[in-house]
Amino acid sequence: MKTFEYFKVASVDEALRLLSMYGNKAKILAGGTDLVVMIDDEMVAPDYIIDIKGINNLKGIEIRDNYLWIGALTTFSEIIHAEIIKEKFPVLFEASKRVASVGVRNRATLVGNICSAVPSLDSAPTLLVLNASVEIKGKEDKLVPIADFFKGPRKTILEKDEIVLGIRIPLETRKYGANYIKLGRYEGEDLAQVGVATFVAEDLEYRIAFCAVAPTPVRALDAEAFLKGKELNTNLLDEVVPLALKAIAPISDVRASKEYRLHTSGVLLKRSLKASFDRLKGNGPSYGINLV
Amino acid sequence: MESKEIKFKLNGKIVRTEVKPYDKLLEVLRDKLGVKSPKYGCGRGECGACSVLLDGKTVRSCLIYAVEVDGHEIVSLEGLQANGLTELQKSFLKHNSFQCGFCAPGMVIQVTELLRENPHPDEEEIREYISGNLCRCTGYNPIVDAVLDVIKNK
């Protein structure tokens, strides 16, 4: 049985002080839906647990200057129920509904999801296509583009004496359409076999991101460049797939084979681009429905 | 490791108990406090059998350390039915919505949260809410029927 000491902190400074004291022996606890399982599986064995749920200024969703701020303690359920999310970034509402199940989403946080950094993390493709940044505090303050945050499976750029304060999503002034599609083995709770998010703005800037098909969530930049400025049509969809697939490198595991993931990534990408484009034009499926 | 005294509201009553930092809420509820409706199923948040309401929201008590609920409120099935079976539970009985019964407390907890948020959910929403509650006996249809029936009578 793994034992540890438990601290409940009330401020970021207190959390940072404990982190600098205990370093790799300490783990930050927010929702715990990943961390508790990892401790039980002995993948991590912290001697100190720092519960940050008492830090009030890490809670909430709000507009600040030119971005939307989502605090480190904000749960997926809070994102799903927030009117401001449905109004500004309905694609984030859609992606959050694909995470695990209600009983997990009531506890699991968006920031915890990115800090766990498993390759199948549902929130990442959407954050990637929205050009989100990660607010980090340690010895110095950092603002890191989400694309630079992930280093490998379960690895991020976070140093042992740093914590994530929240996520910033730049407010979009253009009209746009976007979506997140998650393919699982069945409709209930499951990890993604493939996840894809796309974004199309009215000036025909495209963004494409995948999860579960590479060591980290990835953008398909070549495919985006190829589509830039073009009205979407069937031929274009066929042409963009091979370009996009160059950006991913799926593996075979218990949930799907490499070949299946490659094939379905192409299928889902086409479906996702079409839905984003249709949403941009005002005749797409409503946000939140399952597009698989 | 040192024990810590925690104080929280459990099914309407204030409870004080000593816990180790790594004691799970589920273990403390079942083994220390005699609250047996939450069940140990998968132990990793995937089956929903251990569901309880934490400040009104369904959570997995197998994924929460008991120290985390200090100062909070927990309601289990025992609390919901303190004054007799709820309409939802009666509907479960009427529709024979469980066979072995292992998933039932979690199902009732999860649907109770749903009906508080939205008294008239459609079938899709009901199925979405219970998608994290596994049942190996019923095939889910009698459970959904029970919920639809209770909504109809509201």
Side-chain angles (χ1 to χ4, degrees):
Chain A
M1 179 49 149
K2 173 63 193 169
T3 64
F4 50 74
E5 204 169 326
Y6 171 91
F7 298 98
K8 177 140 191 177
V9 297
S11 70
V12 171
D13 285 344
E14 211 181 328
L16 287 174
R17 190 175 53 79
L18 289 169
L19 275 180
S20 64
M21 209 147 67
Y22 298 126
N24 286 335
K25 290 182 173 172
K27 277 279 177 194
I28 298 276
L29 171 68
T33 53
D34 276 331
L35 180 65
V36 174
V37 174
M38 285 166 70
I39 292 173
D40 287 349
D41 287 350
E42 298 180 357
M43 291 174 65
V44 294
D47 294 321
Y48 305 94
I49 292 282
I50 305 167
D51 185 348
I52 60 170
K53 285 191 287 295
I55 307 180
N56 286 328
N57 58 355
L58 297 186
K59 293 175 186 167
I61 302 171
E62 56 194 62
I63 305 271
R64 293 181 179 174
D65 306 327
N66 55 351
Y67 61 87
L68 181 87
W69 181 82
I70 300 176
L73 290 170
T74 306
T75 65
F76 283 108
S77 289
E78 286 163 350
I79 290 171
I80 289 168
H81 291 293
E83 283 308 313
I84 187 83
I85 295 282
K86 287 198 192 81
E87 185 190 320
K88 300 283 184 193
F89 299 106
V91 59
L92 194 55
F93 157 77
E94 180 165 275
S96 299
K97 280 182 58 139
R98 300 278 91 81
V99 177
S101 59
V102 175
V104 172
R105 295 198 292 260
N106 280 342
R107 197 79 175 156
T109 62
L110 171 71
V111 164
N113 196 224
I114 67 159
C115 288
S116 291
V118 295
S120 63
L121 79 168
D122 284 307
S123 61
T126 304
L127 294 176
L128 279 164
V129 298
L130 294 178
N131 276 342
S133 318
V134 187
E135 265 182 28
I136 297 171
K137 195 166 178 70
K139 286 194 192 72
E140 50 183 313
D141 294 347
K142 292 181 193 166
L143 190 61
V144 177
I146 186 80
D148 300 335
F149 183 74
F150 303 107
K151 266 174 64 180
R154 297 181 184 278
K155 288 197 177 68
T156 71
I157 56 137
L158 266 192
E159 301 284 344
K160 59 181 192 290
D161 54 357
E162 290 179 334
I163 77 168
V164 175
L165 303 181
I167 297 285
R168 291 184 189 186
I169 303 176
L171 294 178
E172 186 57 66
T173 49
R174 297 169 296 180
K175 253 175 76 180
Y176 73 91
N179 68 76
Y180 174 64
I181 304 183
K182 169 185 184 171
L183 183 68
R185 287 168 293 187
Y186 38 83
E187 226 185 287
E189 175 173 357
D190 193 19
L191 298 179
Q193 295 169 306
V194 176
V196 57
T198 60
F199 166 100
V200 190
E202 59 187 336
D203 58 356
L204 299 178
E205 182 198 354
Y206 290 77
R207 296 182 202 142
I208 299 168
F210 291 94
C211 70
V213 288
T216 65
V218 286
R219 281 274 289 271
L221 297 171
D222 289 348
E224 292 176 10
F226 168 76
L227 289 173
K228 192 172 172 60
K230 295 175 184 155
E231 292 279 335
L232 202 66
N233 61 46
T234 318
N235 289 343
L236 217 52
L237 282 174
D238 287 334
E239 287 169 53
V240 76
V241 166
L243 274 175
L245 296 190
K246 277 191 200 156
I248 65 174
I251 56 165
S252 296
D253 67 12
V254 64
R255 293 195 301 282
S257 67
K258 172 182 165 181
E259 292 76 14
Y260 181 78
R261 283 197 162 101
L262 270 175
H263 177 74
T264 50
S265 292
V267 174
L268 293 182
L269 174 62
K270 286 191 199 176
R271 205 173 288 181
S272 175
L273 281 169
K274 182 165 187 323
S276 286
F277 194 74
D278 289 346
R279 281 175 174 172
L280 167 68
K281 301 291 179 188
N283 56 3
S286 62
Y287 278 98
I289 70 162
N290 193 345
L291 293 165
V292 166
Chain B
M1 288 296 143
E2 267 181 49
S3 293
K4 179 181 187 301
E5 188 189 77
I6 58 166
K7 183 177 119 178
F8 65 105
K9 203 170 181 185
L10 173 61
N11 294 329
K13 294 196 181 79
I14 300 290
V15 173
R16 284 189 169 79
T17 186
E18 294 258 319
V19 296
K20 301 276 191 197
Y22 45 83
D23 287 342
K24 301 278 176 57
L25 176 61
L26 177 63
E27 299 160 359
V28 171
L29 289 176
R30 287 184 59 86
D31 304 338
K32 271 187 116 162
L33 302 172
V35 174
K36 300 286 190 182
S37 73
K39 303 285 186 275
Y40 183 93
C42 65
R44 44 199 306 124
E46 286 164 16
C47 79
C50 67
S51 297
V52 294
L53 294 168
L54 165 57
D55 299 334
K57 292 279 181 189
T58 305
V59 293
R60 305 283 182 256
S61 62
C62 72
L63 292 185
I64 294 177
Y65 296 114
V67 284
E68 292 178 73
V69 305
D70 188 27
H72 292 271
E73 175 172 22
I74 297 291
V75 174
S76 69
L77 208 57
E78 287 84 347
L80 289 184
Q81 63 184 35
N83 299 314
L85 294 183
T86 64
E87 293 307 310
L88 180 63
Q89 288 174 299
K90 287 180 193 162
S91 192
F92 266 61
L93 283 172
K94 180 178 153 197
H95 289 270
N96 206 12
S97 306
F98 30 72
Q99 291 176 31
C100 85
F102 205 77
C103 73
M107 288 284 182
V108 172
I109 290 286
Q110 183 62 74
V111 176
T112 298
E113 181 195 11
L114 167 62
L115 296 181
R116 281 177 186 170
E117 279 178 12
N118 177 5
H120 294 280
D122 59 18
E123 178 169 343
E124 193 188 322
E125 200 172 354
I126 296 166
R127 289 189 183 272
E128 187 196 331
Y129 264 69
I130 61 169
S131 69
N133 294 74
L134 300 187
C135 171
R136 302 292 84 171
C137 304
T138 63
Y140 302 101
N141 289 337
I143 295 170
V144 175
D145 289 345
V147 183
L148 287 170
D149 198 13
V150 105
I151 295 166
K152 209 171 58 193
N153 296 327
K154 273 198 176 186

